[in-house]
Amino acid sequence: MTRLPGIPGLAPLVAFAGLLAGWEVAARGIGIDGLPPASRALAEVPGILADPESLINIGASLYRMALGFALGVAVAVPVGLMMGRSRHVAAFFNPLLMVIYPVPKAALMPIIMLWLGVGDASKTLVIFLGVSLPVVYHSYQGGRAVEEKMLWSAAAMGMGAPARLLRIVLPAALPEILVGCRTGLVLALITMVTSEMIARQSGVGNILFNSLDMAQYDTVYAMIVIIGVLGLALDAAFERLRAALVGWAEPSQALMVGTT
Amino acid sequence: MIAIDAVSKEFETKGGRRHLAIDDIGLAVADGEFVSILGPSGCGKSTLLYIVGGFVPPSRGSVTVGGKPVTGPGPDRGPVFQEFALFPWKTVLGNVMYGLQQQGVGRTQARERARALLAMVHLEGYESFYPKELSGGMKQRVAIARTLAYRPSILLMDEPFGALDAHTRTRLQNDLTEIWERDRKTVLFVTHSVEEAVFLSDRVVVMTRSPGRIKEIVTIDLPRPRDRVTLLLERRYQDHVVAIERMMDAQE
Amino acid sequence: MIRAGRLADTLIGLVPIALILLAWQAVHSAGLAPPALLPSPAAVFTRLAQQLGSPAYLEHAAATLYRLFAGFGLALAVGVALGVAATGSRAVGAVTGPIVRVLAPVPKIALYPAFILTLGFDDASKIAAVFVDAVFPILIATRQGTAVVEPKLAWSARAAGVSPARCLVTVVLPAALPSVLTGARIGLVISCIVVFLAEMITSTDGLGHLLVRAARNFQTVDMFVPLITISLLGLTLNAAFNALRARLLRGFPEES
Ligand SMILES: Nc1ncnc2c1ncn2[C@@H]1O[C@H](COP(=O)(O)OP(=O)(O)OP(=O)(O)O)[C@@H](O)[C@H]1O
Ligand SMILES: [Mg+2]
């Protein structure tokens, strides 16, 4: 967003430290149980990460997230690209997407749990739904923006429609698709946490609320920090990947369409 | 009076290299004088105008207007940009009224003044149009009216007629001379057209190619008020045009 | 011609929605799923119509709407103000830039427990949750939009004697309006979603609470009704927003 002079990556670190410092000062100033200082919450983090049970929980959460994300991308990219290349396909899907868009995907959790039970399948399905929408949207935009002439010349060379979609539209739309994937990744994490908060079965969202119920406020905040850092790390890692794959394209200026 | 004193401008390019856009420009423009600036593309004409406007600071040297050093934009110097730069969210009337209202002129009074100016640039009836609904020449006339509205004593015009067709261009040139004859504003006028410069100006400044320096200043001693058609037949006019054309060719 | 095309597009678009309803009805009629798991569409929509006329239900909807608009309004005010200030002042930009970059990818809903602890279980914590989630897209869009405003627009104002701060508000912000509104639209949908989720996680009223309550009592029909309501609400807000946008941007050249 803003380009700062000096070492790249330093400014966010300073900002991160500043936020923690602000929290520490505010907590000490306000002095209520519900807001422990940053130092106390951070002191809890190693304990949580060393506890095998919570590690298994976090691992299970991440596994579901990865699965939901992969499935979401696998379905959403082709759908989005076809929407981008055909007006009829776009007209077919657009109203449906508009109806689904304002519905919080994690809110489907209770209904899906009725059908699929409380296991991994429900949570993965909800994450899948959460990821799909932004990826469809950005693939659609990316597919729509592909230069017509490129496709004409490919068609003139005798390339069939499916091959054109795979060999021309996909690479040309890749920068925009990856923007969608990046948003989708953050959304996957959000959907995961939220659905676990609602289902209260297992996972990081569950740990968060269990400790809230048990008035272990330090743990609550430690979990918030862990989830936050997880979000940051995933985003940064994906940004690396994006830069490596499509370094030739303009740096992404996309908005984070971030919630489920 | 505008006094440009040994002004240079260096830009820092992306790679960290320095690029000298204009070099050691010195020029004094008297009150009520019409001065045109001619020069090859990229020689720094716009940059010079922006510096006088106070939009861009010079790297070296200084500009004073009426004895006071220029440190920023001010309502004594009204710019007219080649790109029009109209406010797209305001109507024609709203664009012209903007400067007046910001200066605290009341709404009704500002509207009256704006209407009169629009009439002067032959745009009656277009008050409620948005800029996107106007042709290029109309937009440029709105831009001129918008600048004239707050009564700057100096006009800084950057290729104001550059994007227009020949016919509209001639009309606007005539309009501009008319306005100038009446108000005698000081005008600094950038153009690529030698005929336009000679027709309008008291003096024509010819710049070298980048980095821009002043190559020559030609005084246009043609009588005023000038009439385009008579001027075209006039020997002295033709001589000036040819002489300046040669000057420009010489640096190709 | 264009008209007919539009109409055809709309009809095509209704196909998948109709198909879903048909499949739903078919599954129900064929007895593939017990009504306790999947009620008939007729039952759901009758209940929806009933509820939309019921004062008790509307009160819940009003609670949701209040939190939504309070959070969104706050996010709009703060996001736009900070975004403009970040463009107008180097110092503000240098401070907000990195902070936004750190916080934007953080799943903000995880902060909701912290809001419960500090602000209580009432409206305030939910409004705060809506606010933190909606403020970032608005702030980022405003910052980006104002940063790329053609400098000559601002120069034209500055030359008329307008102060830099005033120029920021009267020229830079309106010039960035298309981008600001895009951010606001995203923020609005996010507000819809977050308020509902927050109500589901802990609440005693609101549409999200109704869904959770129905789930606890295994009243399947009543689980669908709030979901459809929030979807309708989103569609309505989106349509209203588009109308407002078209009016505000009538002078701007259209884009796609
Ligand atoms: N913001 C900037 N950053 C870097 N270099 C610049 C910038 N603005 C102008 N320049 C450089 O300064 C030189 C002069 O530019 P300027 O726009 O003043 O030329 P000009 O004479 O007005 O050209 P034209 O007749 O094409 O309008 C050019 O070489 C240009 O590349
Ligand atoms: Mg120029």
Side-chain angles (χ1 to χ4, degrees), chain A residues 70-97:
Chain A
L71 287 175
V73 169
V75 172
V77 170
V79 170
L81 288 183
M82 282 191 288
M83 282 173 70
R85 291 322 308 169
S86 152
R87 218 191 67 170
H88 295 302
V89 178
F92 185 79
F93 282 111
N94 262 330
L96 181 66
L97 295 177

Side-chain angles (χ1 to χ4, degrees), chain B residues 9-14 19-22 39-50 56 82 158-159 190-192 207 210:
Chain B
K9 178 69 189 179
E10 235 172 20
F11 285 107
E12 195 137 353
T13 50
K14 272 262 163 66
H19 172 72
L20 189 60
I22 53 176
S41 182
C43 75
K45 304 179 295 293
S46 299
T47 305
L48 180 62
L49 223 58
Y50 299 160
V56 171
Q82 181 176 6
D158 191 3
E159 302 186 39
V190 170
T191 177
H192 277 288
M207 288 176 70
S210 181

Side-chain angles (χ1 to χ4, degrees), chain B residues 80-84 86 123 135-145 158-164 172:
Chain B
V80 178
F81 299 111
Q82 181 176 6
E83 306 88 343
F84 316 134
L86 294 174
L123 278 175
S135 72
M138 290 157 85
K139 281 185 204 165
Q140 192 55 279
R141 278 181 278 165
V142 177
I144 293 172
D158 191 3
E159 302 186 39
F161 310 142
L164 308 179
L172 285 184

Side-chain angles (χ1 to χ4, degrees), chain B residues 51-246:
Chain B
I51 291 173
V52 175
F55 308 118
V56 171
S59 305
R60 284 180 296 278
S62 67
V63 178
T64 57
V65 168
K68 271 185 266 159
V70 167
T71 53
D76 53 336
R77 284 152 290 142
V80 178
F81 299 111
Q82 181 176 6
E83 306 88 343
F84 316 134
L86 294 174
F87 304 134
W89 62 94
K90 283 183 182 292
T91 59
V92 166
L93 192 67
N95 265 283
V96 181
M97 280 169 66
Y98 173 81
L100 291 169
Q101 284 192 298
Q102 289 299 322
Q103 288 180 353
V105 177
R107 209 182 165 69
T108 12
Q109 209 186 335
R111 188 179 298 128
E112 236 163 71
R113 275 264 290 286
R115 278 184 195 284
L117 276 164
L118 285 171
M120 190 172 90
V121 294
H122 311 292
L123 278 175
E124 308 98 324
Y126 290 97
E127 287 85 354
S128 58
F129 280 54
Y130 283 98
K132 72 168 175 191
E133 296 158 340
L134 302 179
S135 72
M138 290 157 85
K139 281 185 204 165
Q140 192 55 279
R141 278 181 278 165
V142 177
I144 293 172
R146 178 179 68 175
T147 300
L148 291 177
Y150 51 87
R151 299 197 173 124
S153 55
I154 297 168
L155 286 179
L156 305 171
M157 308 182 89
D158 191 3
E159 302 186 39
F161 310 142
L164 308 179
D165 65 276
H167 179 71
T168 316
R169 192 177 180 125
T170 332
R171 271 205 57 186
L172 285 184
Q173 284 170 2
N174 288 333
D175 290 350
L176 182 62
T177 34
E178 226 173 84
I179 292 167
W180 184 83
E181 294 289 353
R182 193 172 38 202
D183 300 350
R184 289 286 163 158
K185 290 185 188 301
T186 313
V187 182
L188 213 48
F189 188 97
V190 170
T191 177
H192 277 288
S193 154
V194 176
E195 287 94 342
E196 182 172 82
V198 174
F199 171 56
L200 293 171
S201 313
D202 298 317
R203 283 191 294 159
V204 175
V205 176
V206 181
M207 288 176 70
T208 63
R209 63 172 45 262
S210 181
R213 297 192 189 85
I214 292 184
K215 182 186 168 86
E216 207 142 344
I217 300 179
V218 182
T219 305
I220 311 294
D221 48 357
L222 296 167
R224 290 189 187 266
R226 294 178 189 164
D227 172 62
R228 195 179 173 76
V229 182
T230 24
L231 217 55
L232 282 175
L233 293 169
E234 176 126 3
R235 187 58 205 258
R236 274 188 299 169
Y237 170 81
Q238 296 161 353
D239 285 347
H240 278 311
V241 172
V242 171
I244 295 172
E245 291 270 12
R246 289 230 169 89

Side-chain angles (χ1 to χ4, degrees), chain A residues 75-145:
Chain A
V75 172
V77 170
V79 170
L81 288 183
M82 282 191 288
M83 282 173 70
R85 291 322 308 169
S86 152
R87 218 191 67 170
H88 295 302
V89 178
F92 185 79
F93 282 111
N94 262 330
L96 181 66
L97 295 177
M98 266 176 69
V99 171
I100 300 177
Y101 190 33
V103 176
K105 307 313 164 285
L108 299 174
M109 218 31 213
I111 292 180
I112 292 178
M113 278 185 338
L114 269 184
W115 298 339
L116 301 180
V118 290
D120 279 3
S122 305
K123 288 175 194 151
T124 311
L125 177 60
V126 168
I127 293 171
F128 164 81
L129 291 175
V131 170
S132 302
L133 236 61
V135 182
V136 166
Y137 176 76
H138 283 280
S139 308
Y140 170 40
Q141 298 298 338
R144 210 161 60 154

Side-chain angles (χ1 to χ4, degrees), chain C residues 95-155:
Chain C
V95 173
T96 53
I99 292 182
V100 168
R101 244 191 303 167
V102 169
L103 290 183
V106 166
K108 261 81 66 186
I109 193 77
L111 289 172
Y112 182 50
F115 293 137
I116 295 176
L117 288 177
T118 48
L119 300 173
F121 283 87
D122 288 336
D123 286 345
S125 57
K126 293 175 186 67
I127 293 173
V130 171
F131 167 77
V132 290
D133 240 318
V135 75
F136 285 96
I138 300 174
L139 169 52
I140 293 172
T142 308
R143 169 80 175 102
Q144 286 174 357
T146 48
V148 299
V149 168
E150 165 64 54
K152 272 156 208 151
L153 287 181
W155 291 359

